[in-house]
Amino acid sequence: MRLELDPSPTPAKVAWSYGAFFLLTFLLLALLFALYGVSPLRAFGLLFSVVLDPLGLFEVLRRAVPLLLIGAGLSLAFRVGFFNIGAEGQLLLGAVGAAYTALFLPTGPWTLPLMFLLGGGLSALWALLAAWLRVRFGASEILTTLMQNYLAYYLVVYLVAGPWKGERVFGFLYTDTFPEPAWLPRLGESLVPWPTLLLGVLAALFLHFLLFRTPLGLEWRVLGDNPKAARYLGLREGRLFLLVALLSGLLAGVAGVGEVAGIHHKLLEPAQISLGYGFTAILVAWLARGGPLFTLLTAPLMGVVLAGGDLLKLELSMPFRVVDVFAGLMLLALIGAEALARHRVVWRR
């Protein structure tokens, strides 16, 4: 008996593999709840009850917006073979660019577009640096983008604790409030900035079209599926990696602009700007299985988990980090399911 690669698993096998591992995930999470002294049925009921309440749905949407923007870009990057793990830092760079525009440049009707331009552009260049290091020196983008997260984190801490700290702020680390021309409009009385929600939907649709309906998308898919074939065909691998890094970084930066311009209206400490959206979006992209369009489903799913985690914390006095445990178990399930789907057992010698 031995394991062999299965290059073309059937849809039924893929569905069975993912179903089995996700069932195992929920069983392990139920065990965690039970060990904490909480009824698993009650905990799961609270976790997913947010979808039955209008205010809960708005909270789900609020968290789904940055996950959708970042996840759409990451799903494209992962499909091409560029493993961008630095979306958290790219989001923070987008917030920095937006804050600079709002606080230090003259305001007017041009303020919001300039915030998106500067914030998104700064993040795109940040991601482009990691892609250039891979293309030029062969540096692993997993390591470089991961390290860039820490650089961006401490840059924001330095700014809000030092030169950009608000003149009327005492005892807290954040800037002065942005002027009103730098505020994004919201959906009704919610905290959901509808322009970034619309941009997220359009980005997922556009990237899916680009990937599956254009010559550039064909080159990306060939590179992601078989790098040796791509080199044999003479595809410009470096250019393709640089372009996909640019797009994924840009969308992460747009998510950062949306957080500070649409929700907080100031630049704050990194943990207050992002609830780990850059890392959670890795799950969003992985669940989408290389199709940016499917992030329209997977981003709200993870939004439910994040919003439900808040409810568990309030109702059951559980630590919010149980959400991180849930996300980690899901990631392990995805890895295990993919490995199971891509292999088959051969009984002959």
Side-chain angles (χ1 to χ4, degrees):
M1 184 185 71
R2 68 178 185 275
L3 286 176
E4 286 187 353
L5 285 175
D6 185 359
S8 301
T10 64
K13 182 182 177 184
V14 172
W16 179 86
S17 301
Y18 275 79
F21 271 90
F22 279 124
L23 177 61
L24 179 61
T25 295
F26 280 98
L27 289 175
L28 290 174
L29 197 59
L31 177 62
L32 173 66
F33 289 140
L35 291 174
Y36 198 79
V38 173
S39 166
L41 289 178
R42 187 185 177 201
F44 282 125
L46 282 172
L47 187 65
F48 295 105
S49 65
V50 289
V51 299
L52 303 176
D53 177 66
L55 291 178
L57 283 174
F58 279 130
E59 286 300 303
V60 170
L61 267 183
R62 179 166 78 91
R63 289 158 174 78
V65 168
L67 294 177
L68 176 58
L69 283 161
I70 301 171
L74 291 185
S75 66
L76 174 66
F78 294 167
R79 180 62 185 267
V80 176
F82 181 78
F83 297 101
N84 180 4
I85 312 298
E88 184 77 4
Q90 291 150 24
L91 180 151
L92 294 176
L93 263 291
V96 167
Y100 176 82
T101 305
L103 295 172
F104 301 109
L105 297 182
T107 58
W110 57 84
T111 299
L112 281 172
L114 192 57
M115 289 170 75
F116 280 108
L117 182 63
L118 187 58
L122 190 60
S123 299
L125 291 175
W126 193 239
L128 199 63
L129 173 61
W132 178 78
L133 289 172
R134 170 174 174 169
V135 172
R136 182 67 179 83
F137 300 105
S140 168
E141 74 276 12
I142 296 176
L143 295 178
T144 53
T145 55
L146 185 62
M147 292 300 102
Q148 282 180 316
N149 288 327
Y150 296 100
L151 294 175
Y153 180 96
Y154 287 110
L155 172 64
V156 174
V157 171
Y158 165 73
L159 291 174
V160 297
W164 290 9
K165 185 177 180 180
E167 294 180 0
R168 294 174 293 278
V169 173
F170 300 98
F172 298 95
L173 298 181
Y174 50 78
T175 65
D176 288 326
T177 302
F178 296 168
E180 286 195 25
W183 294 12
L184 282 173
R186 299 170 176 170
L187 284 176
E189 298 298 320
S190 73
L191 293 176
V192 182
W194 66 260
T196 44
L197 173 60
L198 179 61
L199 284 174
V201 173
L202 293 176
L205 294 172
F206 174 71
L207 292 184
H208 201 84
F209 173 82
L210 199 62
L211 184 60
F212 293 102
R213 293 291 185 270
T214 66
L216 174 62
L218 177 61
E219 292 183 9
W220 270 335
R221 283 182 283 128
V222 170
L223 177 60
D225 293 338
N226 195 330
K228 290 183 179 179
R231 286 190 286 270
Y232 179 78
L233 293 171
L235 300 184
R236 299 175 63 184
E237 183 177 338
R239 179 181 67 89
L240 295 173
F241 279 136
L242 292 172
L243 185 55
V244 78
L246 196 70
L247 287 172
S248 62
L250 173 67
L251 289 175
V254 168
V257 175
E259 291 302 294
V260 294
I263 296 176
H264 305 293
H265 301 150
K266 57 175 71 75
L267 186 69
L268 311 97
E269 291 182 276
Q272 294 178 279
I273 297 172
S274 170
L275 298 174
Y277 292 133
F279 298 113
T280 306
I282 295 173
L283 279 176
V284 171
W286 204 293
L287 281 168
R289 291 182 58 82
L293 184 65
F294 299 119
T295 56
L296 293 172
L297 299 175
T298 58
L301 173 63
M302 292 308 300
V304 168
V305 173
L306 292 179
D310 277 343
L311 203 54
L312 289 177
K313 178 181 177 181
L314 294 173
E315 294 289 334
L316 303 177
S317 299
M318 294 190 72
F320 181 76
R321 290 305 173 188
V322 72
V323 174
D324 293 338
V325 175
F326 184 71
L329 288 173
M330 284 189 66
L331 182 57
L332 289 174
L334 288 170
I335 295 171
E338 190 69 16
L340 182 61
R342 293 289 179 181
H343 289 82
R344 58 191 172 198
V345 177
V346 178
W347 294 97
R348 65 179 183 274
R349 290 185 178 182

